[in-house]
Amino acid sequence: LGVSECSDLAVIDLEGDGYPFLAWSDKDPKVGLEVRAAGFPLGDPEFTMTNGIISKAEAAGDTNWASVESVVEHDANIQPGNSGGPLVDAATGKVVAVNYAGGDVGGTGTSQFFAISNVLAEPLVEKLQKGDVDSLGVNGRAIYDEESGLSGIWVSGVDTNSPAGEL
């Protein structure tokens, strides 16, 4: 239904109804909150859930593929494939954030895990149900070559029905 490349979120429509779903938490994520990260990491068809806590309530959300305004840092292990999955309050089962990035994101040699805060995600999901938000229709990644000092965007795909696709 809608995509926001800048916030790395999308809303899709499934045919039918009556699907189970998780409710959004009505609380802001707080440091120390026990959480569970759910999903299907690394393309594994078996559902997984990992435990952790929110270690930072407001973290920098800039990566080389998106720039997210409000993310939380947590220590529940996530891998590629967990992106877009819920980070839930362990006590209530409500969604406090949407898993976004993990691994050695900052190049520090340590694993860090990030999720898009419900404070940003919930209202954005509402908007995405009506169409794209902050989207050019480009799937790309920012790159920087330290040796030459060159930087740019590597475009790996363009949606033909988007502003970028009309060029």
Side-chain angles (χ1 to χ4, degrees):
L1 297 175
V3 65
S4 173
E5 291 143 354
C6 291
S7 296
D8 201 27
L9 284 174
V11 173
I12 60 171
D13 184 19
L14 300 175
E15 289 187 24
D17 55 13
Y19 294 105
F21 63 92
L22 297 171
W24 291 104
S25 175
D26 57 356
K27 300 176 187 169
D28 291 353
K30 302 278 188 220
V31 171
L33 178 69
E34 286 190 49
V35 292
R36 307 288 185 263
F40 298 87
L42 303 173
D44 188 339
E46 188 173 338
F47 176 78
T48 66
M49 186 173 293
T50 57
N51 301 319
I53 62 165
I54 291 180
S55 50
K56 190 182 286 186
E58 291 186 35
D62 292 337
T63 64
N64 62 1
W65 67 88
S67 180
V68 181
E69 191 176 310
S70 182
V71 300
V72 297
E73 184 178 333
H74 62 87
D75 64 0
N77 192 346
I78 61 172
Q79 300 294 324
N82 281 106
S83 297
L87 186 69
V88 299
D89 181 326
T92 67
K94 292 186 176 183
V95 179
V96 295
V98 178
N99 288 314
Y100 164 64
D104 187 9
V105 177
T108 63
T110 60
S111 291
Q112 296 177 288
F113 308 106
F114 300 95
I116 302 166
S117 167
N118 63 333
V119 174
L120 172 68
E122 184 178 10
L124 184 53
V125 164
E126 293 292 323
K127 290 178 185 175
L128 291 172
Q129 291 178 29
K130 298 176 181 96
D132 294 346
V133 175
D134 298 328
S135 178
L136 294 174
V138 173
N139 186 1
R141 169 177 291 238
I143 57 171
Y144 175 70
D145 180 52
E146 289 187 32
E147 275 188 44
S148 67
L150 295 174
S151 62
I153 303 293
W154 175 28
V155 176
S156 57
V158 175
D159 180 355
T160 56
N161 298 316
S162 70
E166 294 175 8
L167 297 175

